[in-house]
Amino acid sequence: MTHFQEQFLRYLNAGIPIIYVDSFEAEKVKELIQEIICKRRLAEINLYDMDFGNNLSLEKQLAGMLESYVDNFEDTSIILVRDMGFLLESPCLISLLKLLAEKSGLEHGGFNIVLVEEGWHVPHALQKFSCKISLDKLGHDDITKIIYSFCAEHDCNLLLPSLINALAEALSGYTEYEIRCILSLLYADSGEITLADLQMLKDMEV
């Protein structure tokens, strides 16, 4: 279990109504959560659920979805709202989230709302009902595994361990999504990854 998963479970079991995950890797966050929630039900709300041709505003549509999930979900359910930070600035939605957080706190084994958004500022009215966590930073071994995985997926020639280690060091500090994008960029140039690509990676800004 990762540190992120341990921290998430701690907040979940403590009954924190709103858990804010500061990350743009919403799909990875969802996968990590699904690995540890056992029998708890999880529902997701994102922009694909919005009806842009509807007369109702996006804020009202999101509010309706949140209220519907809360009314129909069993205890210990999890509602994951991803990439909707621009809507969550609405005073009406902030008030609704506060009311839902209070309702969750009053119920034994209440539901949790998980907000996944990068760089979102938790409104003052919600701060007492929420905790903020971030994904773990990737270590050298994690990055090495991603490189090996990428090479296997693209039938790259087996890279020398020295080049793998050098690439892992150069890619330190990036997310898995960013690393895969960078490797794709290097690979697209010649169909392989070489020392010359490593030097290009060090020279360019990504």
Side-chain angles (χ1 to χ4, degrees):
M1 188 180 295
T2 68
H3 176 68
F4 166 80
Q5 289 174 317
E6 291 176 351
Q7 205 172 13
F8 184 88
L9 266 184
R10 190 177 302 119
Y11 291 152
L12 204 63
N13 294 333
I16 304 298
I18 299 173
I19 302 174
Y20 165 47
V21 184
D22 186 3
S23 174
F24 76 91
E25 294 184 286
E27 196 60 37
K28 183 174 182 180
V29 170
K30 181 181 176 181
E31 290 172 3
L32 289 169
I33 291 173
Q34 286 178 318
E35 289 176 6
I36 58 173
I37 58 175
C38 299
K39 295 181 179 180
R40 298 190 190 212
R41 295 182 58 195
L42 183 144
E44 177 184 335
I45 301 175
N46 59 51
L47 277 178
Y48 290 110
D49 299 314
M50 300 290 114
D51 182 358
F52 288 88
N54 195 313
N55 289 330
L56 286 177
S57 67
L58 295 181
E59 289 90 344
K60 288 183 178 179
Q61 289 184 54
L62 177 55
M65 289 178 188
L66 284 168
E67 290 177 321
S68 175
Y69 278 127
V70 169
D71 290 340
N72 294 295
F73 259 31
E74 304 163 357
D75 287 347
T76 70
S77 297
I78 298 169
I79 305 166
L80 187 147
V81 182
R82 57 184 283 184
D83 305 322
M84 305 281 273
F86 71 101
L87 291 178
L88 297 175
E89 302 293 333
S90 160
C92 292
L93 277 169
I94 291 172
S95 296
L96 173 61
L97 285 171
K98 183 180 177 182
L99 288 172
L100 295 178
E102 290 173 339
K103 180 179 179 181
S104 174
L106 292 172
E107 296 178 356
H108 177 68
F111 55 87
N112 301 86
I113 298 173
V114 180
L115 307 176
V116 185
E117 182 79 26
E118 183 181 30
W120 186 62
H121 174 70
V122 180
H124 179 74
L126 301 179
Q127 289 176 4
K128 292 182 179 180
F129 302 96
S130 64
C131 284
K132 174 183 174 180
I133 55 176
S134 302
L135 290 180
D136 303 332
K137 290 185 178 180
L138 295 174
H140 188 277
D141 291 344
D142 299 315
I143 298 173
T144 298
K145 289 177 182 177
I146 295 170
I147 296 171
Y148 276 119
S149 173
F150 179 89
C151 289
E153 292 165 7
H154 293 79
D155 295 322
C156 294
N157 294 328
L158 188 62
L159 304 182
L160 293 173
S162 57
L163 178 56
I164 292 282
N165 286 329
L167 277 171
E169 289 180 11
L171 292 168
S172 177
Y174 292 103
T175 65
E176 180 175 352
Y177 176 81
E178 291 170 324
I179 289 171
R180 288 186 172 276
C181 286
I182 294 168
L183 292 175
S184 295
L185 178 63
L186 300 179
Y187 177 77
D189 189 41
S190 61
E192 59 181 354
I193 298 175
T194 65
L195 283 171
D197 293 316
L198 176 59
Q199 186 57 49
M200 182 176 72
L201 172 59
K202 291 179 178 179
D203 292 341
M204 70 180 179
E205 294 184 4
V206 288

